Each structure stands twice: as C-alpha cells, then as structure tokens.
Amino acid sequence: RAGLRPETPGAERQYFEERARAEVGWNTWLSEDMLTHALLPHGLAVALSFNAAGLPPLAMLGKDGPKCNRVDFPATHGLHDTRGQYTEISSLDFDGASYRVESAAVGGQDLYILVTLLSGEPTASRAD
C-alpha cells in the first residue's frame, strides 16, 4: 500500500519550504487589512483600530477577523520592505484628520509602531 500515498511534486514541496522560510517575523501579512501586524510563524497579531464617537471604527473585528474599509477610510500605502522591517501607510484619513502609520521590526521579534498626526484635528475631539 506504500504506492497509494500521495506524493508532493518537487516544485510544490520547494515552494512550501521557501514560503515557510520567508514568512517569519513581523509584517503586515494580511493584504486585506493594512493595520494588522502579525508575527509569523507564531500567529500573534496586533490590530490597530481608529475609533471616534458616532463613527464606525476604522478596523472592525468581525467573524472573519480584522478588516479595513478602504472605501469609507481612504489610505495611501507608502514604503514597505518585503521582509517587514519597515512598513508605512503614508496617509490615512479618518474623522477629519490625516495620519501616517509606520512600523519597524528589529531583530525579527521586536515591533515598534508610530502613528503621526499629519494634518487636521479629529472631529470627535473638537468642542461644539
């Protein structure tokens, strides 16, 4: 019955081995969610969310995990190192203000995230 075991073709096996070597450390691995940083292969994730009174949060945790609504909350991607050592959202508009979100991964285990107010003042923080 040894002949009935499925064999993985060499090219497919090589693909998965190279992918496993490449997908390590901090990075924004979820292409549909530009605010979640994941540590692979451990499966730990840090999901950033922008919230304001009376508005839905920018990143919503739903049954399928965190999502970023790009229609309601436009953002411009900036620099992004393929290994995740540096990522940038150069402009993210939310609640009347514009932000830059940068991340840096040092040594594959340490993650630093910097959110900078570029312009405007969040509407929710203004006194009426």
Side-chain angles (χ1 to χ4, degrees):
R1 297 222 177 238
L4 297 177
R5 292 187 319 192
E7 292 291 323
T8 304
E12 186 176 350
R13 183 173 42 253
Q14 180 182 359
Y15 166 79
F16 285 113
E17 289 170 357
E18 289 182 19
R19 183 175 168 182
R21 280 192 298 274
E23 292 179 348
V24 295
W26 286 103
N27 206 335
T28 52
W29 296 107
L30 300 172
S31 60
E32 71 274 4
D33 183 1
M34 56 191 177
L35 292 176
T36 294
H37 294 71
L39 178 60
L40 295 181
H42 307 293
L44 173 70
V46 175
L48 301 178
S49 178
F50 285 68
N51 292 287
L55 292 175
L58 175 60
M60 294 181 243
L61 290 174
K63 65 178 182 163
D64 297 326
K67 300 285 186 225
C68 186
N69 186 333
R70 294 173 194 239
V71 174
D72 293 334
F73 307 103
T76 303
H77 288 276
L79 301 172
H80 190 282
D81 177 66
T82 57
R83 302 292 287 167
Q85 293 174 322
Y86 179 81
T87 69
E88 174 189 49
I89 298 171
S90 60
S91 176
L92 183 145
D93 300 328
F94 181 74
D95 190 31
S98 183
Y99 303 89
R100 177 176 36 244
V101 180
E102 298 171 278
S103 71
V106 179
Q109 300 297 315
D110 297 329
L111 175 67
Y112 299 90
I113 299 174
L114 176 65
V115 179
T116 305
L117 176 63
L118 298 174
S119 64
E121 182 180 334
T123 306
S125 67
R126 295 181 195 150
D128 290 332

